Amino acid sequence: MHATVFQRTLTHFPEGSRSPPTQHIKRSCPMAITPEIVSHVATLARLAIPDQEVTLYAGQLSNILQLMQRLDQLDTTSVAPMSHAVEMTMPERPDRVVNGNQRDTLLACAPDPAPQGFFRVPKIIE
């Protein structure tokens, strides 16, 4: 199989952006993960993968990439970008001070409070 080649067709980023928009990245060839690639990445990640598993992982990763290529062929121009597969909102609560201003109570629990109202901790940097 062929190696994937990413071609950037954008010479500058859009205003206020640090990265190019994804529609300007073209994918050309399908990618096959070889046992050599798996071994190389395992070495970089300092993973000890037995030789008999390297071929298994190479096949599994190649299957995942083939699935991604099939998904890449879908027309998603009418689909709005989203951060989750399901519409969700974060529950909010009122911003109220609860149990505030307990400085003296907390300092009373300290093993060695400083006189200025701070926690004294052991020195760790010489």
Side-chain angles (χ1 to χ4, degrees):
M1 290 200 176
H2 303 89
T4 296
V5 178
F6 291 96
Q7 301 171 343
R8 298 200 184 264
T9 59
L10 190 64
T11 56
H12 65 282
F13 298 156
E15 181 117 3
S17 174
R18 291 183 170 182
S19 60
T22 54
Q23 68 266 22
H24 291 286
I25 298 175
K26 294 182 180 177
R27 293 173 185 87
S28 55
C29 312
M31 180 172 194
I33 302 293
T34 63
E36 291 78 24
I37 293 174
V38 173
S39 295
H40 179 68
V41 171
T43 302
L44 292 175
R46 293 187 167 94
L47 296 174
I49 300 177
D51 291 337
Q52 61 270 25
E53 291 183 14
V54 168
T55 306
L56 172 70
Y57 293 150
Q60 290 175 345
L61 291 169
S62 291
N63 289 341
I64 291 170
L65 287 177
Q66 287 175 2
L67 175 64
M68 292 298 110
Q69 283 222 302
R70 286 181 53 203
L71 291 174
D72 199 28
Q73 294 172 358
L74 294 174
D75 179 23
T76 58
T77 54
S78 63
V79 179
M82 59 183 159
S83 60
H84 294 85
V86 201
E87 185 67 34
M88 61 176 17
T89 58
M90 295 299 293
E92 295 181 5
R93 61 176 173 77
D95 190 15
R96 289 181 280 141
V97 176
V98 179
N99 297 330
N101 200 13
Q102 295 185 6
R103 177 178 165 183
D104 296 331
T105 306
L106 294 173
L107 283 172
C109 298
D112 186 21
Q116 298 88 358
F118 297 107
F119 288 97
R120 190 175 309 183
V121 295
K123 184 177 181 180
I124 58 170
I125 300 176
E126 297 296 326

